[in-house]
Amino acid sequence: MTTAEPPVTLTIDGQEVAVAAGMTIWDAARRVGIDIPVLCHDPAMEPVGVCRVCAVEVEGSRVLAAACHRQVEAGMVVRTNTERCQRARRMVVELLLADHPRPCAKHQLDRSCELERLAEALGVDQPRFPMRNAERATQNGADGGPETEDGTPAHAPILAPPSSALRLAHSPFDLSSPVIAVDHRACILCDRCIRACDWLQVNEVIGRTGKGRRARIAFDDDRPMGQSTCVSCGECVAHCPTGALTDKPLVVALQPERLQRVDTICPYCGVGCAVTFHVQEGKVARVTGRDGPANHARLCVKGRYGYDYSSHPQRLTVPLIRRPEYYPKGPLSEEVRHEGDYRRHKPGAPVTDYGPILKAFRETTWDEALDLCAARFLEIKRQYGPEALAGFGSAKCTNEDNYVFQKLIRAVFGTNNVDHCSRLCHASSVAALMECLGSGSVSNPVADVARADVCLVLGSNTTENHPVAATFIKQAARRGTTLVVMDPRRPALANHAHHYVRFKPGTDVALLNALMHVILREDLHDPVFIEARTENFAALRETVARYTPEMAEKITGVPASTIEEIARLYGRAHNAIIFWGMGISQHTTGTDNARCLIALCLLTGNIGRPGTGLHPLRGQNNVQGASDMGLLPIVYSGYQSVADPNVREKFARAWGVPLNPKRGLTVVEITSAALRGDIRGMLMMGENPFLSDPNINKVRKALASLEFLAVQDIFLTETAEFADVILPASSHAEKTGTYTNTDRYVQLAKRAVAPPGEARQDWQALVDLAGRMGYRMEYRDEAEIFAEMAALTPGYAGLSYPRLAREPIPWPCPAPDHPGTQVLFAHDFPRGKGRFSPAEFAPAQELPDEEYPFVLNTGRVLQHWHTGTMTRRARALEEIAPQPFVEICPADAEALGIGDGDPVRVRSRRGEVTVPARVTRQIAKGSVFIPFHYREAAANLLTIDALDPTAKIPEFKYCAVRLERLN
Amino acid sequence: MLSEKAFAAIEAAKKRYPDPRSALMPALWIAQEECGGWLPREAMADVARVMSLEPADVQSVASFYSMYYKAPVGKFVLEICHNIACDVLGARRIIDHVRERLGIAPGETTGDGLFTLKTVECLAACGGGPCMQVNSRYYENLTPERVDAILDGLRAHAEAGAPPPLPDERPQPADDGDAA
């Protein structure tokens, strides 16, 4: 479709219309306000023209045309509403309606079944045709033999009894998925679900089976949905016109007349999908996708079905104070006290037994709780100085919460000891980007992948950790972008890639240097760009000269010819984009890994244009924003250095207090400082270091050793077991505020429900605490906080609540009339020239040896989020993924005598966990993988707290373990 | 599930088409032959893998065509035409006879796993109606007596290794290909 072609003029119902060539009659009609009914057509997807209800008359044509599919032609005369069209539509609808339950589930809910609405509009009431539901429900009939009651075909030979008995027993319902109900009777075979699954989410699970009157939709090779490879994203439900595919209610039975819609942003990953919450009885009762810049209305299983955590009965509703008899402090629950064993948690039981924990606390008032916090923080400050205090904010909280949090720590506590979980995910990426480009954020939005010729994805399990971002990458791969996936552990995205490169864990620098070696050797670099826009090129050239593909092959295990092939692909691309995840960043060489990616990009000039650039996929929904807000020990909001006297002066004036010039400590450094007694008091807002930080046995001691710990959270986390005071906070559903996504879009979310009990907004509790510590903060609402922040933060200067209420805007947005910036670095870099920072290969901190022969990799699964505080209390998510596991390759499993599902004890030098084995080829020989969400078997008991020297990010992706089979 | 030989045959089939995925139907046929005349789920999964297709794609094709069997069938599949020409020539009598003789209805298989009865639309052999196809062989001008002889012959073929019964003593119409 080219826009250069001249417009086409045609006549629709007597109106002359000029539209772009290539447009369909249906689209052209809509331009002039003529709605032609459709069933199979969905504007989000390409038309297929299978239902024929959009039949229109085209003058000179013998037959009716499908308006959704037929393209406009110059001089065409179209009539959309003649008796002939109506008759054709009525017939189609009548035939479809004959098989359709009335009302179907969707129509019963809110009269929104498109078929039944159309029938009403066309005056079709009682179809003249007999119903064929019984046959629709059966599988394949005589062609394929009978099937068992649960719908799977019988594999036993077809013996004596007539199959009709079995056929009648087969239900037209498939309720096997925890979140989606299938009613084949209501299906009109429009293929919208199939196309949503294939084209939008690119999961390719749904197809058709059978033919003629027995045709049905089917999952994979015709399995029950819940046993198929369906990832429960619900895109099929979102596009189903009838009640064939519907969301199962997870919280309350929906009553449409009582439902209120609130537009907000998904609380989970950094993609930042726009969603609508449907609220009933003060609870989020359903979630649907909204057309936002990052998701185009798509969602994943967490976003669509993981909402019920906010109305979970275990929410904290009153402040709690630890009882005197529970000192000295220590863990309260079995799971937090001991080494990990998955068998401690019984599937279906609440993820945390509150009994033994709540015993240790008494309920109190906000006044008493906050007075106690204020007194203890002031006391520690007086006795040991402000640097004995520290605070962890949260990338789950809003920009407003986090701005107030870091202001409290800096202006009231008087220290820069403030950090958050960004330290654990992309600290190294940010450090390298700051060093080489002068800005720590992504250069291009995810959706830009559509304009790239080549896309590299490294160390990212995108389909599980950024599922909606992955849909754009998969779509691009299908439409012609060459996708290269490089990862020691084979991610599902590799199934969509043109090249999958498996390399030895921890050898990224050698691999990337060799790619650059080949690019330089074969003159595929961009000398003009290098000359004009970069510095330190000579040093890079010297370093990578030693990394021949042959040398890299020895280190990485990747054949030299493959390295050459990938280098040529990237080097020759007009536009190439790079995505990376924690596989790059969570290493002691994390900053070096990112430096190499940046150098690769600068070397070929692949930055500053659409379809190019560098995109570290940010993890949390507001990890970009939390960093932007200055929830980092070395910078205020907008990455303004605490060491810069002018900056400090600016903030000191705005906040009305002198500020501490000393850089603060990072997350893992704070843990170590607590053990040493240097940090004595902490405020923890929505962070759960007990599960998220490396080497938990050390974290446990550190938390127990704190003189005073206040935890502000929505549930009793593992970390809260060590608290002196616990403050009940608001969940995302209860907050108004802004979140900044991985694309740098600042998006406004609105409060959907009231907080439970006495729970308060995070920022309100912080403001109250500041007041009791002798510092007045006054904000009437979140908009006032945002305005104060924006005035101090150049990238946000042009943003305001009124603007953001209209549309999300990507920062930098320096002025109120500035549209925001999607693609950075078109003309220069914030630091001036881009810098090549060459890096040498260095091995990981703890290499496998005879005693601990395996490399442990850790990460996430699709259904769970970080420490599981929210997702393990989301019914459907926990039902789909109730258990931890250790991935091990078939050869290693066989050598150790381990079968799939067998309990295995995994030990490192620091701890041990017992988890069931999952034998899979996804993982390479010599490596194992454990997800870190599960409190009963926390993977971080095993991980090493070795840090990247620059970014202080721990090496979550590499430590040595051994495996023992349990009898 | 599938043997190396079957995989090799599928790979060879893929080479015959400009787009290798077009070889899905021959691939399914190869798999069915290999698996005793039907397509177990695992065999279809193997086909999906070797064809680089999603299981759903393989399922839609396999379920669309009636000659891919998704459940076990007898050693001999008796496909008796009941389209108009054969019907006029007495197909109903033939079908009833087989039902009675074997004790199975269309769509069913005998307890010994030897015969599956199916009724089918036109076999394109109207000149020899009533007719039936048994696996890849045609039998025409059927009468109940002839059917008895054919069934006996098939049983002897299966049990005692006798040669399969001959299609028809009368000469069959010559295959004149594309009617040159």
Side-chain angles (χ1 to χ4, degrees):
Chain A
M1 211 182 322
T2 57
T3 46
E5 281 178 56
V8 170
T9 304
L10 71 160
T11 309
I12 304 179
D13 291 345
Q15 291 188 61
E16 205 156 271
V17 194
V19 294
M23 191 177 261
T24 64
I25 295 175
W26 189 78
D27 280 320
R30 288 236 295 189
R31 286 288 172 91
V32 286
I34 298 169
D35 263 330
I36 302 170
V38 282
L39 284 175
C40 74
H41 184 48
D42 184 322
M45 302 181 282
E46 285 165 45
V48 288
V50 297
C51 80
R52 316 311 276 191
V53 305
C54 63
V56 294
E57 275 192 70
V58 175
E59 211 170 86
S61 276
R62 188 176 53 84
V63 294
L64 297 174
C68 75
H69 200 264
R70 177 79 175 267
Q71 292 185 359
V72 294
E73 287 160 32
M76 212 179 218
V77 178
V78 179
R79 290 186 196 85
T80 70
N81 216 10
T82 63
E83 179 49 33
R84 195 177 161 210
C85 300
Q86 294 285 359
R87 207 168 52 233
R89 284 175 200 156
R90 276 199 299 271
M91 177 57 85
V92 170
V93 168
E94 194 180 351
L95 283 163
L96 289 172
L97 208 59
D99 275 355
H100 190 84
R102 294 178 75 189
C104 71
K106 193 168 171 138
H107 213 59
Q108 199 168 7
L109 178 66
D110 55 3
R111 301 187 64 75
S112 64
C113 168
E114 293 178 32
L115 175 64
E116 290 177 67
R117 290 175 74 99
L118 192 52
E120 285 158 16
L122 293 172
V124 178
D125 188 19
Q126 283 302 320
R128 293 162 289 169
F129 311 105
M131 200 175 205
R132 292 206 181 268
N133 279 332
E135 289 185 79
R136 169 74 67 81
T138 66
Q139 307 206 358
N140 300 324
D143 293 343
E147 64 282 334
T148 55
E149 280 179 44
D150 68 353
T152 51
H155 284 187
I158 310 170
L159 298 179
S163 54
S164 58
L166 282 166
R167 279 195 218 163
L168 288 175
H170 177 65
S171 162
F173 301 106
D174 177 352
L175 302 177
S176 57
S177 156
V179 290
I180 296 168
V182 186
D183 178 359
H184 287 291
R185 300 171 311 159
C187 176
I188 57 170
L189 292 173
C190 65
D191 288 1
R192 265 153 77 162
C193 57
I194 299 178
R195 285 176 282 148
C197 192
D198 282 4
W199 298 358
L200 299 181
Q201 292 274 346
V202 203
N203 289 329
E204 301 171 282
V205 175
I206 315 182
R208 274 191 187 213
T209 187
K211 67 176 162 190
R213 66 192 186 193
R214 293 200 184 90
R216 284 184 295 113
I217 56 163
F219 307 96
D220 287 341
D221 50 352
D222 200 11
R223 281 161 202 269
M225 191 181 209
Q227 291 161 32
S228 72
T229 57
C230 167
V231 294
S232 308
C233 70
E235 201 67 38
C236 53
V237 177
H239 291 273
C240 178
T242 71
L245 294 161
T246 48
D247 291 334
K248 285 186 179 176
L250 296 177
V251 175
V252 288
L254 299 182
Q255 293 172 283
E257 66 284 357
R258 298 176 64 190
L259 280 178
Q260 282 176 313
R261 298 163 64 96
V262 182
D263 287 349
T264 179
I265 304 298
C266 176
Y268 288 108
C269 80
V271 174
C273 296
V275 296
T276 299
F277 280 1
H278 302 254
V279 178
Q280 183 178 313
E281 296 159 41
K283 292 172 178 168
V284 183
R286 189 180 180 212
V287 174
T288 50
R290 202 155 53 81
D291 191 8
N295 65 318
H296 300 186
R298 299 170 203 173
L299 292 179
C300 76
V301 63
K302 288 191 288 284
R304 202 185 300 274
Y305 300 116
Y307 53 80
D308 50 326
Y309 75 90
S310 68
S311 52
H312 193 279
Q314 287 194 329
R315 280 289 301 274
L316 292 170
T317 56
V318 283
L320 301 169
I321 287 183
R322 199 180 194 92
R323 294 177 189 276
E325 57 270 34
Y326 285 85
Y327 287 87
K329 290 188 287 182
L332 301 168
S333 69
E334 289 292 300
E335 293 88 342
V336 173
R337 192 172 293 132
H338 297 293
E339 297 290 345
D341 190 336
Y342 78 104
R343 290 168 297 192
R344 220 172 257 131
H345 177 66
K346 299 281 167 276
V351 59
T352 307
D353 177 5
Y354 270 18
I357 309 171
L358 278 179
K359 270 197 310 209
F361 294 92
R362 65 176 170 87
E363 295 188 354
T364 183
T365 60
W366 273 98
D367 275 338
E368 189 192 1
L370 286 177
D371 279 341
L372 179 62
C373 290
R376 297 298 307 276
F377 284 135
L378 285 172
E379 190 185 305
I380 291 170
K381 184 177 173 182
R382 196 159 42 237
Q383 205 173 340
Y384 304 102
E387 267 125 50
L389 294 174
F392 289 170
S394 173
K396 276 268 159 284
C397 289
T398 63
N399 285 327
E400 293 73 11
D401 292 332
N402 281 317
Y403 173 79
V404 171
F405 187 85
Q406 58 93 39
K407 182 174 171 183
L408 169 75
I409 301 294
R410 292 191 155 111
V412 189
F413 283 22
T415 171
N416 287 309
N417 290 336
V418 56
D419 206 358
H420 71 294
C421 67
S422 168
R423 183 67 48 199
L424 309 174
C425 62
H426 268 306
S428 46
S429 309
V430 171
L433 286 163
M434 289 295 285
E435 171 187 300
C436 300
L437 308 179
S439 161
S441 66
V442 303
S443 69
N444 294 57
V446 173
D448 246 22
V449 64
R451 305 188 215 186
D453 311 314
V454 172
C455 168
L456 299 192
V457 180
L458 299 100
S460 161
N461 187 6
T462 328
T463 55
E464 299 209 34
N465 295 335
H466 303 86
V468 174
T471 67
F472 291 93
I473 298 174
K474 291 186 281 187
Q475 273 189 325
R478 192 180 247 211
R479 288 174 185 165
T481 301
T482 304
L483 176 61
V484 181
V485 173
M486 305 167 97
D487 206 308
R489 175 176 177 242
R490 185 188 165 100
L493 190 64
N495 299 341
H496 302 262
H498 301 83
H499 300 272
Y500 165 61
V501 180
R502 171 172 273 169
F503 57 97
K504 289 185 190 154
T507 63
D508 310 61
V509 167
L511 180 62
L512 296 169
N513 277 351
L515 291 178
M516 291 190 273
H517 176 98
V518 177
I519 286 172
L520 279 166
R521 189 180 71 192
E522 304 194 358
D523 270 335
L524 299 172
H525 59 298
D526 183 343
V528 178
F529 183 89
I530 293 168
E531 175 60 31
R533 301 273 312 264
T534 70
E535 63 187 36
N536 209 28
F537 175 57
L540 180 88
R541 186 187 272 276
E542 196 189 315
T543 300
V544 304
R546 291 192 301 280
Y547 288 82
T548 62
E550 293 71 24
M551 177 229 193
E553 176 174 342
K554 289 199 189 85
I555 299 174
T556 64
V558 181
S561 58
T562 304
I563 295 175
E564 285 168 347
E565 191 180 358
I566 305 300
R568 285 173 198 139
L569 260 177
Y570 186 82
R572 287 179 184 151
H574 292 293
N575 292 314
I577 189 166
I578 302 176
F579 294 95
W580 74 91
M582 254 117 273
I584 286 289
S585 62
Q586 289 177 336
H587 286 280
T588 45
T589 59
T591 308
D592 280 346
N593 294 346
R595 283 173 178 137
C596 289
L597 288 173
I598 298 163
L600 182 63
C601 168
L602 293 176
L603 186 65
T604 50
N606 271 310
I607 195 151
R609 303 187 305 277
T612 67
L614 296 160
H615 193 121
L617 287 154
R618 305 309 305 259
Q620 302 262 6
N621 59 335
N622 199 34
V623 69
Q624 181 66 55
S627 303
D628 295 346
M629 291 308 107
L631 215 59
L632 299 169
I634 56 169
V635 288
Y636 300 111
S637 63
Y639 306 94
Q640 303 173 84
S641 173
V642 298
D644 181 332
N646 295 327
V647 168
R648 204 163 58 242
E649 177 54 30
K650 177 171 95 171
F651 279 89
R653 220 176 15 245
W655 294 348
V657 283
L659 293 171
N660 190 334
K662 199 176 153 206
R663 290 168 157 227
L665 297 176
T666 61
V667 167
V668 182
E669 289 174 318
I670 287 172
T671 307
S672 299
L675 270 177
R676 286 197 310 269
D678 293 344
I679 297 280
R680 290 169 183 266
M682 281 195 76
L683 174 59
M684 203 80 76
M685 174 176 79
E687 285 265 299
N688 189 14
F690 184 83
L691 282 185
S692 66
D693 289 14
N695 193 0
I696 286 177
N697 282 319
K698 183 172 163 186
V699 177
R700 186 190 293 118
K701 282 187 210 137
L703 288 172
S705 73
L706 287 170
E707 276 179 30
F708 185 75
L709 171 64
V711 171
Q712 181 166 315
D713 215 313
I714 61 173
F715 292 106
L716 256 172
T717 61
E718 292 66 35
T719 303
E721 293 185 25
F722 300 86
D724 298 85
V725 177
I726 300 173
L727 305 170
S730 299
S731 80
H732 155 276
E734 295 134 25
K735 286 176 192 279
T736 287
T738 59
Y739 299 91
T740 308
N741 78 348
T742 189
D743 289 341
R744 285 180 277 101
Y745 271 94
V746 184
Q747 309 193 85
L748 182 58
K750 296 194 200 88
R751 179 171 311 144
V753 294
E758 295 172 28
R760 294 174 73 178
Q761 298 294 331
D762 281 289
W763 67 267
Q764 282 173 337
L766 300 172
V767 165
D768 198 344
L769 175 61
R772 288 166 204 259
M773 292 180 73
Y775 180 86
R776 270 179 79 83
M777 292 193 212
E778 274 181 285
Y779 305 108
R780 263 179 314 206
D781 56 16
E782 293 83 1
E784 282 196 5
I785 303 171
F786 191 91
E788 174 182 315
M789 177 279 296
L792 290 165
T793 312
Y796 281 70
L799 302 177
S800 64
Y801 266 45
R803 275 194 82 179
L804 294 170
R806 287 194 296 276
E807 57 175 349
I809 298 170
W811 70 259
C813 177
D817 56 354
H818 189 282
T821 316
Q822 277 198 29
V823 177
L824 294 180
F825 320 134
H827 306 294
D828 54 10
F829 297 104
R831 73 180 296 278
K833 288 201 168 185
R835 179 183 167 81
F836 286 106
S837 289
E840 296 284 357
F841 166 71
Q845 203 67 25
E846 187 185 57
L847 297 172
D849 53 22
E850 269 181 24
E851 204 184 343
Y852 295 95
F854 287 93
V855 176
L856 171 70
N857 184 1
T858 64
R860 299 197 266 128
V861 300
L862 169 64
Q863 294 82 6
H864 284 301
W865 185 262
H866 217 227
T867 65
T869 314
M870 293 154 67
T871 51
R872 296 204 71 197
R873 290 181 177 88
R875 206 177 78 196
L877 301 179
E878 177 69 357
E879 188 180 332
I880 302 171
Q883 233 177 31
F885 53 85
V886 54
E887 280 185 0
I888 175 168
C889 83
D892 288 336
E894 203 188 320
L896 293 166
I898 294 168
D900 195 51
D902 289 352
V904 177
R905 182 169 296 141
V906 186
R907 281 182 202 274
S908 78
R909 289 185 174 84
R910 292 154 295 279
E912 64 176 63
V913 299
T914 302
V915 280
R918 182 178 286 182
V919 179
T920 166
R921 284 179 209 284
Q922 277 200 314
I923 195 92
K925 197 166 167 355
S927 290
V928 295
F929 172 88
I930 305 178
F932 73 88
H933 314 289
Y934 295 88
R935 67 191 298 272
E936 63 272 30
N940 281 322
L941 282 161
L942 305 169
T943 50
I944 188 167
D945 51 339
L947 302 182
D948 174 282
T950 310
K952 315 290 183 197
I953 189 170
E955 189 146 68
F956 286 114
K957 298 292 189 201
Y958 200 114
C959 73
V961 295
R962 73 165 180 265
L963 271 58
E964 293 159 17
R965 185 171 67 123
L966 295 186
N967 291 320
Chain B
M1 167 109 208
L2 294 182
S3 68
E4 287 308 314
K5 198 176 137 223
F7 281 124
I10 293 173
E11 287 300 338
K14 279 161 75 175
K15 294 202 178 77
R16 297 207 304 266
Y17 298 87
D19 182 349
R21 61 184 284 157
S22 307
L24 176 57
M25 293 185 63
L28 285 169
W29 192 251
I30 291 163
Q32 177 158 303
E33 291 287 289
E34 164 120 349
C35 299
W38 70 290
L39 282 170
R41 218 167 246 253
E42 298 74 18
M44 282 165 57
D46 276 354
V47 169
R49 195 159 42 79
V50 65
M51 296 296 299
S52 306
L53 292 168
E54 294 300 327
D57 294 335
V58 175
Q59 172 68 27
S60 18
V61 171
S63 65
F64 186 84
Y65 293 100
S66 58
M67 289 169 75
Y68 296 123
Y69 300 112
K70 270 69 66 185
V73 290
K75 189 169 169 58
F76 304 110
V77 180
L78 313 173
E79 297 177 282
I80 308 180
C81 173
H82 65 168
N83 212 318
I84 186 154
C86 286
D87 192 56
V88 169
L89 289 165
R92 265 183 246 194
R93 198 162 54 107
I94 300 298
I95 295 166
D96 287 346
H97 182 75
V98 173
R99 285 178 75 137
E100 213 162 290
R101 163 94 199 251
L102 297 178
I104 50 171
E108 294 175 4
T109 300
T110 52
D112 58 8
L114 219 46
F115 298 106
T116 298
L117 174 60
K118 271 184 81 179
T119 54
V120 296
E121 303 304 335
C122 190
L123 290 170
C126 308
C131 63
M132 72 171 172
Q133 185 177 351
V134 180
N135 299 359
S136 55
R137 212 176 266 262
Y138 270 37
Y139 295 94
E140 302 183 339
N141 303 310
L142 298 176
T143 60
E145 298 72 33
R146 235 185 89 60
V147 167
D148 283 343
I150 293 166
L151 294 179
D152 289 344
L154 289 169
R155 192 178 291 277
H157 174 55
E159 288 169 359
L166 289 172
D168 192 353
E169 63 275 17
R170 279 183 285 179
Q172 296 201 11
D175 182 3
D176 52 1
D178 291 331

